[in-house]
């Protein structure tokens, strides 16, 4: 069975997201842990999380994906921004300890002229401070498009971060199809080779989730503009190969395409139809 869902608003809580997912015929979903632009999270609502857990079990929703706010920059030059990133991630991971079925994805960060090595060191330092041996939540580094000074535009950069993290068993990678294509990996014409490279550099056992997005721009453009499935430069045929690829087909897929709920429902139905 294809594990597929889309990005949902977390404004009304977990149970509401579970209901929305079922309505869209999704069996998983992604959500922001708080306002994507940063700021305080809503008070922790354990009753809502418990109600959600029961609902999810009943409706066959298993693992979901929490997404850190994209303003979180673990390798910012400004120390107060790094502290914000640390505090935010610490609070997010604490909250997720009440919901063991959610993984946690974040953008590694932007090194802003400090150089990629400095960026990698800061990111690993923050993870080493926050990851705990007893935690159940797996933390995912997202593959990035390479916009500006984003860290994580190559598999090697992600590998370098992972290499510096002590509790590696708590870490994984989320592959964003729009981002890797934007970063210059040809998943349209050479999917097998790209996945082989991923395996050699990072290890396919680290790959835990896929962000399934088409791209508004050609390969290698480093722009990070998502497009609806089949309407961008990646195209439907390549998307179908991706969801069916033996190395990917059992992973959860999350749509982050520019859509309203009806658009997501259509894409979910379309992709299910093409899953063999
Ligand atoms: Fe993301
Ligand atoms: Fe993404
Ligand atoms: Zn993106």
């Amino acid at each position: 069975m294809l594990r597929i869902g889309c990005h949902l608003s977390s404004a009304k809580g977990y149970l509401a997201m579970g209901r929305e997912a079922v309505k869209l015929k999704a069996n998983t979903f992604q959500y922001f842990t708080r306002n994507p632009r940063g700021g305080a999270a809503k008070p922790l609502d354990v009753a809502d999380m418990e109600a959600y857990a029961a609902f999810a079990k009943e409706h066959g929703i298993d693992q979901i994906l929490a997404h850190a706010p994209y303003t979180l920059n673990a390798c910012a030059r400004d120390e107060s921004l790094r502290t914000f990133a640390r505090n935010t991630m610490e609070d997010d991971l604490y909250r997720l300890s009440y919901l063991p079925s959610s993984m946690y994805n974040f953008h590694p960060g932007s090194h802003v002229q400090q150089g990629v090595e400095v960026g990698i060191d800061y990111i690993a330092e923050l993870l080493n401070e926050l990851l705990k041996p007893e935690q159940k939540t797996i933390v995912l580094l997202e593959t990035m498009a390479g916009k500006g000074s984003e860290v994580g535009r190559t598999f090697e950069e992600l590998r370098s971060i992972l290499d510096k993290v002590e509790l590696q068993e708590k870490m994984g990678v989320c592959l964003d199809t729009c981002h890797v294509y934007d970063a210059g990996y040809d998943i349209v014409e050479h999917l097998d080779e790209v996945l082989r490279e991923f395996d050699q550099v990072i290890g396919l056992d680290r790959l835990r989730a896929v962000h399934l997005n088409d791209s508004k721009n050609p390969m290698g453009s480093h722009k990070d503009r998502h497009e609806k499935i089949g309407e961008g430069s990646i195209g439907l045929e390549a998307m179908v190969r991706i969801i069916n690829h033996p190395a990917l087909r059992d992973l959860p897929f999350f749509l982050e395409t520019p859509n309203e709920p009806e658009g997501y429902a259509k894409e979910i139905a379309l992709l299910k139809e093409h899953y063999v």
Side-chain angles (χ1 to χ4, degrees):
M1 190 191 52
L2 179 62
R3 295 163 72 193
I4 188 154
C6 60
H7 189 90
L8 296 177
S9 162
S10 52
K12 291 187 185 136
Y14 282 97
L15 183 57
M17 287 192 284
R19 292 209 165 105
E20 176 77 3
V22 167
K23 222 163 82 186
L24 302 175
K25 301 221 167 13
N27 47 28
T28 184
F29 59 89
Q30 175 180 265
Y31 60 101
F32 282 125
T33 52
R34 59 190 72 218
N35 184 317
R37 299 203 169 278
K42 293 186 303 166
L44 183 64
D45 186 348
V46 177
D48 174 51
M49 287 167 134
E50 285 171 357
Y52 162 75
F55 180 89
K57 202 169 169 199
E58 192 184 321
H59 289 86
I61 300 175
D62 59 355
Q63 207 167 31
I64 55 176
L65 184 57
H67 195 306
Y70 48 73
T71 45
L72 183 151
N73 186 1
C75 59
R77 179 191 283 275
D78 184 341
E79 197 189 335
S80 68
L81 294 177
R82 294 201 304 277
T83 304
F84 168 80
R86 186 200 178 287
N87 293 343
T88 301
M89 197 183 284
E90 184 173 38
D91 184 49
D92 282 350
L93 290 174
Y94 168 71
R95 287 157 177 271
L96 288 174
S97 68
Y98 287 91
L99 199 85
S101 60
S102 182
M103 299 187 285
Y104 182 67
N105 173 70
F106 77 107
H107 295 179
S110 293
H111 63 73
V112 246
Q113 289 160 19
Q114 302 172 99
V116 68
E117 285 78 17
V118 174
I120 286 168
D121 282 344
Y122 276 137
I123 297 160
E125 196 181 298
L126 178 124
L127 289 165
N128 284 330
E129 263 183 76
L130 295 184
L131 297 181
K132 301 277 179 295
E134 66 275 14
Q135 87 179 49
K136 298 236 166 42
T137 307
I138 300 293
V139 177
L140 307 184
L141 299 166
E142 183 168 348
T143 60
M144 299 311 292
K147 194 164 40 106
S149 64
E150 276 174 350
V151 179
R153 56 158 68 195
T154 64
F155 298 158
E156 284 78 6
E157 289 181 7
L158 296 175
R159 176 75 255 173
S160 305
I161 299 169
L162 292 171
D163 278 341
K164 290 180 191 231
V165 174
E166 285 147 29
L167 294 172
Q168 287 205 20
E169 68 277 16
K170 306 294 178 194
M171 295 296 301
V173 171
C174 172
L175 184 141
D176 185 309
T177 55
C178 168
H179 296 176
V180 289
Y181 196 56
D182 242 13
Y185 291 99
D186 191 354
I187 53 170
V188 175
E189 298 294 336
H190 299 284
L191 180 62
D192 277 332
E193 288 86 337
V194 171
L195 292 174
R196 207 171 304 137
E197 191 177 338
F198 186 101
D199 194 33
Q200 280 159 3
V201 177
I202 299 176
L204 279 169
D205 55 328
R206 288 270 169 241
L207 185 55
R208 302 297 298 267
V210 176
H211 283 167
L212 200 65
N213 302 308
D214 214 324
S215 172
K216 283 194 196 295
N217 296 291
M219 186 176 80
S221 33
H222 306 297
K223 291 242 171 64
D224 191 2
R225 298 282 310 282
H226 302 185
E227 182 53 282
K228 294 187 172 97
I229 301 298
E231 295 183 21
S233 56
I234 298 176
L236 182 60
E237 267 182 51
M239 286 298 172
V240 170
R241 283 195 292 273
I242 288 165
I243 58 170
N244 286 293
H245 195 284
L248 307 175
R249 55 180 293 115
D250 295 325
L251 294 169
F253 293 92
F254 301 93
L255 299 162
E256 301 176 309
T257 45
N259 271 309
E260 296 300 319
E262 312 80 68
Y264 277 135
K266 269 190 203 151
E267 290 186 348
I268 289 166
L270 175 73
L271 292 158
K272 279 184 174 174
E273 195 183 301
H274 285 92
Y275 187 71
V276 289

